[in-house]
Amino acid sequence: MIYISKNWLELLKDEFDKDYFKHLQQFLSDEYQKTTVYPEDKKVFNAFLQTKYNEIKVVILGQDPYINENQAHGLCFSVESGAIPPSLKNIYKEIQSELGCDIPNNGNLTKWARQGVLLLNSVLTVKSGISNSHKGKGWEKFTHEVIRKIAEKDTPVVFMLWGGNAKKVVENIDLSKHFVLSSAHPSPLSASNGFFGNGHFKKCNEFLVAHGKTPIDWQIDNI
């Protein structure tokens, strides 16, 4: 079952009929039956439920979901509950440095999604405990098509691409229309190599304001 909003369904319906996606669905059906997969099936397309196509202002592209229980809920870098993962901690540190925001006590980024920030992973599912376990199964074709559809929008969009995997989608983006911000990944292994100090959140809001759009309120509220 594909839990996705109507506007996205209309936009991507041809993709769902392609052979690769049917093979992906069969693979996922088997995986969900025989092992633990994150996120739960109703939340795989959560990014598309929280952010409508015509309301997209920003795209943040991650790799694949978190691999532990009660974390992944279909929004990249976001956790539904529990401890804040290291990469997200670094994202919060950068936002605090740029904009003076407080570091919140939770990692749920739904607030961003509802303001027009599409929090999209390149791969939308993962086997419990094993990162990249669903890599190469067809998700990449699907999400590249999503990026292509977004790049076709008449209104400019900010793409925030962190790390080598995310930067691969640049070829699908018209740089004369959209605004691409790229840097190292916020992971503790690479954040000091260009993520910290990249200024992306401030630059993003400046671009949105310059194009007549409401800036993103990056402050996540405490719970």
Side-chain angles (χ1 to χ4, degrees):
M1 180 67 71
I2 298 172
Y3 300 91
I4 194 167
S5 60
K6 185 177 179 180
N7 66 328
W8 279 109
L9 185 61
E10 285 294 313
L11 197 69
L12 298 169
K13 60 184 178 181
D14 291 343
E15 212 64 21
F16 296 137
D17 289 333
K18 291 182 179 179
D19 285 343
Y20 87 86
F21 198 87
K22 292 178 180 178
H23 290 310
L24 172 61
Q25 282 188 295
Q26 185 58 58
F27 166 76
L28 291 174
S29 178
D30 293 342
E31 284 283 277
Y32 274 101
Q33 288 182 35
K34 69 184 181 182
T35 188
T36 301
V37 175
Y38 299 128
E40 62 177 286
D41 58 352
K42 291 183 179 180
K43 295 179 180 177
V44 170
F45 292 96
N46 193 24
F48 303 94
L49 292 171
Q50 300 296 338
T51 310
K52 296 178 180 179
Y53 176 77
N54 60 356
E55 295 177 355
I56 294 173
K57 299 177 183 178
V58 183
V59 176
I60 296 178
L61 190 63
Q63 179 176 284
D64 64 342
Y66 294 119
I67 60 175
N68 297 319
E69 189 177 6
N70 297 324
Q71 289 189 313
H73 64 126
L75 305 178
C76 74
F77 293 107
S78 180
V79 287
E80 193 159 32
S81 61
I84 302 171
S87 291
L88 184 52
K89 285 183 180 178
N90 287 338
I91 291 171
Y92 283 162
K93 288 177 183 177
E94 179 58 25
I95 293 172
Q96 182 183 55
S97 175
E98 291 180 34
L99 303 174
C101 294
D102 295 328
I103 294 179
N105 63 0
N106 69 95
N108 193 321
L109 305 180
T110 302
K111 178 180 177 179
W112 294 357
R114 290 177 178 170
Q115 295 178 78
V117 181
L118 184 68
L119 297 167
L120 181 68
N121 277 313
S122 294
V123 175
L124 301 189
T125 56
V126 71
K127 185 175 180 178
S128 174
I130 308 175
S131 295
N132 275 328
S133 47
H134 288 179
K135 180 180 179 180
K137 302 298 183 181
W139 278 128
E140 295 90 342
K141 289 184 179 181
F142 175 76
T143 52
H144 273 230
E145 179 63 17
V146 171
I147 295 295
R148 192 182 71 79
K149 292 288 189 185
I150 296 170
E152 290 177 349
K153 286 172 66 72
D154 292 331
T155 55
V157 174
V158 180
F159 290 85
M160 302 170 88
L161 308 177
W162 304 325
N165 286 335
K167 293 174 187 176
K168 292 177 182 177
V169 308
V170 170
E171 63 189 35
N172 295 323
I173 301 171
D174 182 351
L175 300 180
S176 68
K177 185 198 311 184
H178 303 295
F179 188 33
V180 174
L181 297 166
S182 61
S183 76
H185 193 275
S187 161
L189 296 174
S190 56
S192 296
N193 294 326
F195 178 78
F196 287 137
N198 64 20
H200 283 186
F201 300 94
K202 185 177 181 180
K203 291 174 184 176
C204 171
N205 277 355
E206 288 173 346
F207 179 86
L208 293 176
V209 171
H211 288 81
K213 296 179 179 291
T214 304
I216 305 300
D217 178 6
W218 297 107
Q219 177 68 65
I220 296 297
D221 303 316
N222 286 330
I223 55 174

